[in-house]
Amino acid sequence: MSTVKETVEVEVPVRTAYDQWTQFEEFPNFMEGVEEITQLDARHNHWTTKIGGVRREFDTEIVDQLPDERITWRTTSGDVQQKGTVRFQRVDDDHTRVELVMDVEPSGVAEKTADLLGTIDRRVKGDMRRFKDYIERRGDESGAWRGRITPG
């Protein structure tokens, strides 16, 4: 399993950055290779990705979510194995540090090769830069979900 870590500072308040991240169906706007995310309920999402010509579908479960602080998830089905946490830290009234730490288990020859070549790491770094551009361009979140999900 490979660990990818990336941090960006965005020029929006912590609430805005967090609220936008809860809009999972908007991820294709800034995540390369993500074609569609369908939010099934407060905890579960269905993902469709196409990376390097390979289409994958998988489900994720949010296992911990604390507004304005963190969202932790894991895959529950499909041929993609990953888990991770995105954390939100207030820098000041108008700036937020967003840190993503993700463990990915490449499945298949293409994914394993991409991992060895650093492609997965570069993709995540690019996604975080695109999130920064996306939220700063918007200036405001497209929606919000402020519920609390506890582990267990």
Side-chain angles (χ1 to χ4, degrees), residues 7-45:
T7 303
V8 295
E9 188 172 304
V10 297
E11 293 183 40
V12 295
V14 68
R15 183 178 182 117
T16 301
Y18 172 85
D19 286 351
Q20 185 60 55
W21 200 279
T22 67
Q23 301 307 291
F24 304 110
E25 293 178 349
E26 297 286 321
F27 281 14
N29 291 316
F30 59 88
M31 287 190 173
E32 185 180 355
V34 176
E35 290 188 335
E36 181 180 32
I37 299 177
T38 304
Q39 189 161 5
L40 305 173
D41 59 32
R43 280 189 182 263
H44 301 95
N45 294 297

mmCIF file of all heavy atoms in Angstrom, residues 7-45:
data_model
loop_
_atom_site.group_PDB
_atom_site.id
_atom_site.type_symbol
_atom_site.label_atom_id
_atom_site.label_comp_id
_atom_site.label_asym_id
_atom_site.label_seq_id
_atom_site.Cartn_x
_atom_site.Cartn_y
_atom_site.Cartn_z
ATOM 1 N N THR A 7 -0.677 18.894 0.905
ATOM 2 C CA THR A 7 -1.291 19.994 1.632
ATOM 3 C C THR A 7 -1.335 21.217 0.730
ATOM 4 O O THR A 7 -0.363 21.503 0.036
ATOM 5 C CB THR A 7 -0.489 20.317 2.913
ATOM 6 O OG1 THR A 7 -0.407 19.138 3.721
ATOM 7 C CG2 THR A 7 -1.141 21.426 3.715
ATOM 8 N N VAL A 8 -2.455 21.908 0.735
ATOM 9 C CA VAL A 8 -2.572 23.189 0.046
ATOM 10 C C VAL A 8 -3.188 24.192 1.007
ATOM 11 O O VAL A 8 -3.929 23.815 1.914
ATOM 12 C CB VAL A 8 -3.428 23.121 -1.248
ATOM 13 C CG1 VAL A 8 -2.774 22.248 -2.292
ATOM 14 C CG2 VAL A 8 -4.845 22.679 -0.967
ATOM 15 N N GLU A 9 -2.852 25.447 0.794
ATOM 16 C CA GLU A 9 -3.503 26.513 1.542
ATOM 17 C C GLU A 9 -4.436 27.229 0.584
ATOM 18 O O GLU A 9 -4.012 27.664 -0.488
ATOM 19 C CB GLU A 9 -2.486 27.485 2.119
ATOM 20 C CG GLU A 9 -3.115 28.490 3.053
ATOM 21 C CD GLU A 9 -2.092 29.339 3.783
ATOM 22 O OE1 GLU A 9 -1.216 28.759 4.451
ATOM 23 O OE2 GLU A 9 -2.188 30.581 3.681
ATOM 24 N N VAL A 10 -5.706 27.308 0.967
ATOM 25 C CA VAL A 10 -6.705 27.939 0.117
ATOM 26 C C VAL A 10 -7.126 29.272 0.724
ATOM 27 O O VAL A 10 -7.149 29.422 1.947
ATOM 28 C CB VAL A 10 -7.930 27.020 -0.114
ATOM 29 C CG1 VAL A 10 -7.511 25.761 -0.862
ATOM 30 C CG2 VAL A 10 -8.608 26.637 1.189
ATOM 31 N N GLU A 11 -7.463 30.212 -0.143
ATOM 32 C CA GLU A 11 -7.842 31.552 0.305
ATOM 33 C C GLU A 11 -9.350 31.657 0.478
ATOM 34 O O GLU A 11 -10.021 32.449 -0.187
ATOM 35 C CB GLU A 11 -7.333 32.594 -0.692
ATOM 36 C CG GLU A 11 -5.826 32.692 -0.715
ATOM 37 C CD GLU A 11 -5.335 33.777 -1.653
ATOM 38 O OE1 GLU A 11 -5.956 34.865 -1.707
ATOM 39 O OE2 GLU A 11 -4.344 33.522 -2.342
ATOM 40 N N VAL A 12 -9.869 30.815 1.380
ATOM 41 C CA VAL A 12 -11.272 30.873 1.790
ATOM 42 C C VAL A 12 -11.322 30.470 3.263
ATOM 43 O O VAL A 12 -10.421 29.775 3.758
ATOM 44 C CB VAL A 12 -12.187 29.935 0.959
ATOM 45 C CG1 VAL A 12 -12.234 30.374 -0.511
ATOM 46 C CG2 VAL A 12 -11.770 28.486 1.079
ATOM 47 N N PRO A 13 -12.370 30.870 3.979
ATOM 48 C CA PRO A 13 -12.510 30.453 5.377
ATOM 49 C C PRO A 13 -12.628 28.934 5.497
ATOM 50 O O PRO A 13 -13.057 28.249 4.559
ATOM 51 C CB PRO A 13 -13.810 31.138 5.823
ATOM 52 C CG PRO A 13 -14.018 32.257 4.865
ATOM 53 C CD PRO A 13 -13.427 31.788 3.556
ATOM 54 N N VAL A 14 -12.296 28.413 6.661
ATOM 55 C CA VAL A 14 -12.327 26.965 6.881
ATOM 56 C C VAL A 14 -13.714 26.391 6.597
ATOM 57 O O VAL A 14 -13.837 25.315 6.008
ATOM 58 C CB VAL A 14 -11.820 26.587 8.296
ATOM 59 C CG1 VAL A 14 -12.770 27.047 9.392
ATOM 60 C CG2 VAL A 14 -11.561 25.094 8.400
ATOM 61 N N ARG A 15 -14.756 27.080 6.989
ATOM 62 C CA ARG A 15 -16.115 26.570 6.759
ATOM 63 C C ARG A 15 -16.389 26.418 5.259
ATOM 64 O O ARG A 15 -16.986 25.429 4.830
ATOM 65 C CB ARG A 15 -17.152 27.485 7.408
ATOM 66 C CG ARG A 15 -18.564 26.952 7.263
ATOM 67 C CD ARG A 15 -19.578 27.856 7.956
ATOM 68 N NE ARG A 15 -20.901 27.269 7.824
ATOM 69 C CZ ARG A 15 -21.643 26.861 8.838
ATOM 70 N NH1 ARG A 15 -21.199 26.966 10.068
ATOM 71 N NH2 ARG A 15 -22.827 26.335 8.622
ATOM 72 N N THR A 16 -15.954 27.351 4.455
ATOM 73 C CA THR A 16 -16.172 27.298 3.006
ATOM 74 C C THR A 16 -15.427 26.113 2.396
ATOM 75 O O THR A 16 -15.982 25.364 1.589
ATOM 76 C CB THR A 16 -15.720 28.611 2.344
ATOM 77 O OG1 THR A 16 -16.462 29.699 2.921
ATOM 78 C CG2 THR A 16 -15.934 28.583 0.845
ATOM 79 N N ALA A 17 -14.152 25.943 2.777
ATOM 80 C CA ALA A 17 -13.352 24.828 2.235
ATOM 81 C C ALA A 17 -13.966 23.492 2.634
ATOM 82 O O ALA A 17 -14.130 22.594 1.799
ATOM 83 C CB ALA A 17 -11.910 24.924 2.731
ATOM 84 N N TYR A 18 -14.319 23.356 3.897
ATOM 85 C CA TYR A 18 -14.915 22.106 4.377
ATOM 86 C C TYR A 18 -16.251 21.834 3.684
ATOM 87 O O TYR A 18 -16.487 20.727 3.187
ATOM 88 C CB TYR A 18 -15.109 22.161 5.898
ATOM 89 C CG TYR A 18 -15.886 20.976 6.414
ATOM 90 C CD1 TYR A 18 -15.239 19.788 6.711
ATOM 91 C CD2 TYR A 18 -17.273 21.031 6.557
ATOM 92 C CE1 TYR A 18 -15.957 18.678 7.150
ATOM 93 C CE2 TYR A 18 -17.990 19.938 6.986
ATOM 94 C CZ TYR A 18 -17.330 18.765 7.282
ATOM 95 O OH TYR A 18 -18.042 17.669 7.701
ATOM 96 N N ASP A 19 -17.115 22.839 3.660
ATOM 97 C CA ASP A 19 -18.438 22.648 3.062
ATOM 98 C C ASP A 19 -18.328 22.221 1.602
ATOM 99 O O ASP A 19 -19.070 21.347 1.151
ATOM 100 C CB ASP A 19 -19.277 23.925 3.171
ATOM 101 C CG ASP A 19 -19.793 24.178 4.580
ATOM 102 O OD1 ASP A 19 -19.654 23.290 5.453
ATOM 103 O OD2 ASP A 19 -20.340 25.269 4.806
ATOM 104 N N GLN A 20 -17.390 22.819 0.852
ATOM 105 C CA GLN A 20 -17.244 22.430 -0.546
ATOM 106 C C GLN A 20 -16.789 20.980 -0.648
ATOM 107 O O GLN A 20 -17.251 20.243 -1.503
ATOM 108 C CB GLN A 20 -16.263 23.342 -1.289
ATOM 109 C CG GLN A 20 -16.177 23.032 -2.765
ATOM 110 C CD GLN A 20 -17.521 23.180 -3.463
ATOM 111 O OE1 GLN A 20 -18.151 24.229 -3.393
ATOM 112 N NE2 GLN A 20 -17.975 22.130 -4.129
ATOM 113 N N TRP A 21 -15.890 20.554 0.228
ATOM 114 C CA TRP A 21 -15.402 19.174 0.166
ATOM 115 C C TRP A 21 -16.517 18.172 0.441
ATOM 116 O O TRP A 21 -16.472 17.045 -0.014
ATOM 117 C CB TRP A 21 -14.230 18.959 1.122
ATOM 118 C CG TRP A 21 -13.424 17.755 0.744
ATOM 119 C CD1 TRP A 21 -13.713 16.453 1.033
ATOM 120 C CD2 TRP A 21 -12.234 17.728 -0.039
ATOM 121 N NE1 TRP A 21 -12.766 15.624 0.490
ATOM 122 C CE2 TRP A 21 -11.846 16.385 -0.169
ATOM 123 C CE3 TRP A 21 -11.456 18.723 -0.628
ATOM 124 C CZ2 TRP A 21 -10.706 15.988 -0.866
ATOM 125 C CZ3 TRP A 21 -10.314 18.339 -1.312
ATOM 126 C CH2 TRP A 21 -9.952 16.978 -1.434
ATOM 127 N N THR A 22 -17.546 18.571 1.174
ATOM 128 C CA THR A 22 -18.660 17.645 1.442
ATOM 129 C C THR A 22 -19.554 17.459 0.219
ATOM 130 O O THR A 22 -20.444 16.612 0.249
ATOM 131 C CB THR A 22 -19.538 18.116 2.622
ATOM 132 O OG1 THR A 22 -20.231 19.326 2.265
ATOM 133 C CG2 THR A 22 -18.722 18.321 3.890
ATOM 134 N N GLN A 23 -19.321 18.214 -0.826
ATOM 135 C CA GLN A 23 -20.118 18.116 -2.057
ATOM 136 C C GLN A 23 -19.434 17.127 -3.003
ATOM 137 O O GLN A 23 -18.858 17.501 -4.027
ATOM 138 C CB GLN A 23 -20.284 19.497 -2.691
ATOM 139 C CG GLN A 23 -20.962 20.496 -1.769
ATOM 140 C CD GLN A 23 -22.280 19.966 -1.218
ATOM 141 O OE1 GLN A 23 -23.244 19.810 -1.965
ATOM 142 N NE2 GLN A 23 -22.321 19.677 0.080
ATOM 143 N N PHE A 24 -19.502 15.846 -2.648
ATOM 144 C CA PHE A 24 -18.759 14.804 -3.358
ATOM 145 C C PHE A 24 -19.092 14.733 -4.840
ATOM 146 O O PHE A 24 -18.223 14.460 -5.660
ATOM 147 C CB PHE A 24 -19.001 13.445 -2.687
ATOM 148 C CG PHE A 24 -18.660 13.456 -1.225
ATOM 149 C CD1 PHE A 24 -19.658 13.381 -0.267
ATOM 150 C CD2 PHE A 24 -17.349 13.569 -0.803
ATOM 151 C CE1 PHE A 24 -19.347 13.412 1.086
ATOM 152 C CE2 PHE A 24 -17.031 13.617 0.545
ATOM 153 C CZ PHE A 24 -18.035 13.532 1.486
ATOM 154 N N GLU A 25 -20.328 15.017 -5.189
ATOM 155 C CA GLU A 25 -20.732 14.948 -6.595
ATOM 156 C C GLU A 25 -20.070 16.033 -7.441
ATOM 157 O O GLU A 25 -20.090 15.965 -8.662
ATOM 158 C CB GLU A 25 -22.254 14.963 -6.704
ATOM 159 C CG GLU A 25 -22.851 13.684 -6.122
ATOM 160 C CD GLU A 25 -24.370 13.626 -6.132
ATOM 161 O OE1 GLU A 25 -25.014 14.658 -6.392
ATOM 162 O OE2 GLU A 25 -24.896 12.524 -5.876
ATOM 163 N N GLU A 26 -19.429 17.016 -6.798
ATOM 164 C CA GLU A 26 -18.687 18.073 -7.497
ATOM 165 C C GLU A 26 -17.224 17.679 -7.754
ATOM 166 O O GLU A 26 -16.511 18.394 -8.469
ATOM 167 C CB GLU A 26 -18.724 19.368 -6.681
ATOM 168 C CG GLU A 26 -20.101 19.949 -6.484
ATOM 169 C CD GLU A 26 -20.643 20.605 -7.744
ATOM 170 O OE1 GLU A 26 -19.868 21.254 -8.461
ATOM 171 O OE2 GLU A 26 -21.849 20.453 -8.000
ATOM 172 N N PHE A 27 -16.751 16.574 -7.192
ATOM 173 C CA PHE A 27 -15.343 16.186 -7.326
ATOM 174 C C PHE A 27 -14.856 16.106 -8.777
ATOM 175 O O PHE A 27 -13.711 16.448 -9.046
ATOM 176 C CB PHE A 27 -15.067 14.868 -6.615
ATOM 177 C CG PHE A 27 -14.918 14.978 -5.110
ATOM 178 C CD1 PHE A 27 -15.290 16.103 -4.406
ATOM 179 C CD2 PHE A 27 -14.412 13.909 -4.403
ATOM 180 C CE1 PHE A 27 -15.156 16.181 -3.032
ATOM 181 C CE2 PHE A 27 -14.254 13.968 -3.020
ATOM 182 C CZ PHE A 27 -14.631 15.113 -2.335
ATOM 183 N N PRO A 28 -15.686 15.657 -9.740
ATOM 184 C CA PRO A 28 -15.197 15.618 -11.119
ATOM 185 C C PRO A 28 -14.755 16.990 -11.653
ATOM 186 O O PRO A 28 -14.004 17.061 -12.620
ATOM 187 C CB PRO A 28 -16.390 15.078 -11.914
ATOM 188 C CG PRO A 28 -17.132 14.238 -10.917
ATOM 189 C CD PRO A 28 -16.999 15.009 -9.620
ATOM 190 N N ASN A 29 -15.182 18.070 -11.007
ATOM 191 C CA ASN A 29 -14.770 19.408 -11.430
ATOM 192 C C ASN A 29 -13.305 19.702 -11.130
ATOM 193 O O ASN A 29 -12.742 20.629 -11.707
ATOM 194 C CB ASN A 29 -15.643 20.477 -10.768
ATOM 195 C CG ASN A 29 -17.056 20.458 -11.296
ATOM 196 O OD1 ASN A 29 -17.276 20.362 -12.496
ATOM 197 N ND2 ASN A 29 -18.021 20.536 -10.402
ATOM 198 N N PHE A 30 -12.690 18.935 -10.205
ATOM 199 C CA PHE A 30 -11.289 19.198 -9.893
ATOM 200 C C PHE A 30 -10.442 17.935 -9.725
ATOM 201 O O PHE A 30 -9.221 18.031 -9.589
ATOM 202 C CB PHE A 30 -11.151 20.107 -8.658
ATOM 203 C CG PHE A 30 -11.780 19.557 -7.402
ATOM 204 C CD1 PHE A 30 -11.078 18.726 -6.554
ATOM 205 C CD2 PHE A 30 -13.085 19.906 -7.062
ATOM 206 C CE1 PHE A 30 -11.655 18.242 -5.395
ATOM 207 C CE2 PHE A 30 -13.671 19.430 -5.903
ATOM 208 C CZ PHE A 30 -12.953 18.595 -5.066
ATOM 209 N N MET A 31 -11.036 16.768 -9.758
ATOM 210 C CA MET A 31 -10.270 15.521 -9.637
ATOM 211 C C MET A 31 -10.132 14.858 -10.999
ATOM 212 O O MET A 31 -11.125 14.419 -11.582
ATOM 213 C CB MET A 31 -10.923 14.566 -8.645
ATOM 214 C CG MET A 31 -10.773 14.985 -7.228
ATOM 215 S SD MET A 31 -11.314 13.676 -6.102
ATOM 216 C CE MET A 31 -10.825 14.409 -4.556
ATOM 217 N N GLU A 32 -8.911 14.789 -11.465
ATOM 218 C CA GLU A 32 -8.616 14.178 -12.753
ATOM 219 C C GLU A 32 -8.962 12.692 -12.723
ATOM 220 O O GLU A 32 -8.621 11.988 -11.781
ATOM 221 C CB GLU A 32 -7.132 14.358 -13.067
ATOM 222 C CG GLU A 32 -6.725 13.872 -14.423
ATOM 223 C CD GLU A 32 -5.246 14.076 -14.684
ATOM 224 O OE1 GLU A 32 -4.550 14.683 -13.851
ATOM 225 O OE2 GLU A 32 -4.797 13.607 -15.724
ATOM 226 N N GLY A 33 -9.651 12.227 -13.736
ATOM 227 C CA GLY A 33 -9.991 10.813 -13.844
ATOM 228 C C GLY A 33 -11.273 10.418 -13.143
ATOM 229 O O GLY A 33 -11.749 9.301 -13.323
ATOM 230 N N VAL A 34 -11.851 11.303 -12.353
ATOM 231 C CA VAL A 34 -13.126 11.003 -11.693
ATOM 232 C C VAL A 34 -14.235 11.426 -12.647
ATOM 233 O O VAL A 34 -14.386 12.603 -12.956
ATOM 234 C CB VAL A 34 -13.265 11.724 -10.335
ATOM 235 C CG1 VAL A 34 -14.643 11.467 -9.728
ATOM 236 C CG2 VAL A 34 -12.169 11.274 -9.383
ATOM 237 N N GLU A 35 -14.981 10.441 -13.136
ATOM 238 C CA GLU A 35 -16.062 10.736 -14.073
ATOM 239 C C GLU A 35 -17.349 11.112 -13.360
ATOM 240 O O GLU A 35 -18.055 12.016 -13.784
ATOM 241 C CB GLU A 35 -16.315 9.535 -14.991
ATOM 242 C CG GLU A 35 -15.193 9.306 -15.969
ATOM 243 C CD GLU A 35 -15.543 8.244 -16.996
ATOM 244 O OE1 GLU A 35 -16.394 7.370 -16.734
ATOM 245 O OE2 GLU A 35 -14.938 8.296 -18.075
ATOM 246 N N GLU A 36 -17.664 10.378 -12.282
ATOM 247 C CA GLU A 36 -18.929 10.622 -11.596
ATOM 248 C C GLU A 36 -18.870 10.073 -10.175
ATOM 249 O O GLU A 36 -18.279 9.022 -9.926
ATOM 250 C CB GLU A 36 -20.073 9.937 -12.353
ATOM 251 C CG GLU A 36 -21.432 10.159 -11.741
ATOM 252 C CD GLU A 36 -22.544 9.470 -12.520
ATOM 253 O OE1 GLU A 36 -22.307 8.395 -13.113
ATOM 254 O OE2 GLU A 36 -23.649 10.021 -12.532
ATOM 255 N N ILE A 37 -19.512 10.796 -9.269
ATOM 256 C CA ILE A 37 -19.726 10.305 -7.910
ATOM 257 C C ILE A 37 -21.204 10.472 -7.610
ATOM 258 O O ILE A 37 -21.773 11.542 -7.815
ATOM 259 C CB ILE A 37 -18.882 11.059 -6.863
ATOM 260 C CG1 ILE A 37 -17.398 10.886 -7.150
ATOM 261 C CG2 ILE A 37 -19.247 10.591 -5.454
ATOM 262 C CD1 ILE A 37 -16.499 11.655 -6.221
ATOM 263 N N THR A 38 -21.813 9.407 -7.137
ATOM 264 C CA THR A 38 -23.206 9.444 -6.728
ATOM 265 C C THR A 38 -23.248 9.265 -5.219
ATOM 266 O O THR A 38 -22.761 8.248 -4.706
ATOM 267 C CB THR A 38 -24.015 8.324 -7.415
ATOM 268 O OG1 THR A 38 -23.858 8.448 -8.828
ATOM 269 C CG2 THR A 38 -25.481 8.399 -7.034
ATOM 270 N N GLN A 39 -23.795 10.251 -4.529
ATOM 271 C CA GLN A 39 -23.921 10.139 -3.082
ATOM 272 C C GLN A 39 -25.161 9.314 -2.787
ATOM 273 O O GLN A 39 -26.283 9.700 -3.130
ATOM 274 C CB GLN A 39 -23.998 11.516 -2.437
ATOM 275 C CG GLN A 39 -23.909 11.430 -0.938
ATOM 276 C CD GLN A 39 -23.520 12.743 -0.281
ATOM 277 O OE1 GLN A 39 -23.389 13.770 -0.933
ATOM 278 N NE2 GLN A 39 -23.348 12.693 1.022
ATOM 279 N N LEU A 40 -24.959 8.145 -2.163
ATOM 280 C CA LEU A 40 -26.054 7.215 -1.898
ATOM 281 C C LEU A 40 -26.810 7.573 -0.626
ATOM 282 O O LEU A 40 -28.020 7.412 -0.546
ATOM 283 C CB LEU A 40 -25.504 5.794 -1.819
ATOM 284 C CG LEU A 40 -24.695 5.343 -3.050
ATOM 285 C CD1 LEU A 40 -24.042 3.994 -2.805
ATOM 286 C CD2 LEU A 40 -25.575 5.327 -4.288
ATOM 287 N N ASP A 41 -26.079 8.022 0.378
ATOM 288 C CA ASP A 41 -26.657 8.500 1.632
ATOM 289 C C ASP A 41 -25.557 9.295 2.342
ATOM 290 O O ASP A 41 -24.524 9.567 1.748
ATOM 291 C CB ASP A 41 -27.210 7.342 2.493
ATOM 292 C CG ASP A 41 -26.170 6.293 2.878
ATOM 293 O OD1 ASP A 41 -24.983 6.644 3.060
ATOM 294 O OD2 ASP A 41 -26.542 5.108 2.999
ATOM 295 N N ALA A 42 -25.765 9.656 3.602
ATOM 296 C CA ALA A 42 -24.799 10.509 4.305
ATOM 297 C C ALA A 42 -23.427 9.862 4.433
ATOM 298 O O ALA A 42 -22.410 10.552 4.504
ATOM 299 C CB ALA A 42 -25.334 10.867 5.690
ATOM 300 N N ARG A 43 -23.361 8.532 4.435
ATOM 301 C CA ARG A 43 -22.096 7.813 4.619
ATOM 302 C C ARG A 43 -21.499 7.229 3.349
ATOM 303 O O ARG A 43 -20.312 6.950 3.312
ATOM 304 C CB ARG A 43 -22.298 6.639 5.584
ATOM 305 C CG ARG A 43 -22.302 6.995 7.024
ATOM 306 C CD ARG A 43 -22.297 5.695 7.857
ATOM 307 N NE ARG A 43 -22.348 5.982 9.256
ATOM 308 C CZ ARG A 43 -21.286 6.036 10.045
ATOM 309 N NH1 ARG A 43 -20.098 5.810 9.566
ATOM 310 N NH2 ARG A 43 -21.428 6.313 11.320
ATOM 311 N N HIS A 44 -22.293 6.980 2.336
ATOM 312 C CA HIS A 44 -21.851 6.147 1.204
ATOM 313 C C HIS A 44 -21.907 6.873 -0.135
ATOM 314 O O HIS A 44 -22.872 7.585 -0.418
ATOM 315 C CB HIS A 44 -22.707 4.878 1.138
ATOM 316 C CG HIS A 44 -22.623 4.076 2.395
ATOM 317 N ND1 HIS A 44 -23.541 4.199 3.407
ATOM 318 C CD2 HIS A 44 -21.713 3.171 2.797
ATOM 319 C CE1 HIS A 44 -23.194 3.379 4.404
ATOM 320 N NE2 HIS A 44 -22.093 2.746 4.055
ATOM 321 N N ASN A 45 -20.855 6.637 -0.934
ATOM 322 C CA ASN A 45 -20.748 7.201 -2.278
ATOM 323 C C ASN A 45 -20.352 6.106 -3.259
ATOM 324 O O ASN A 45 -19.593 5.193 -2.907
ATOM 325 C CB ASN A 45 -19.679 8.301 -2.321
ATOM 326 C CG ASN A 45 -20.062 9.503 -1.498
ATOM 327 O OD1 ASN A 45 -21.040 10.166 -1.788
ATOM 328 N ND2 ASN A 45 -19.289 9.778 -0.454
#
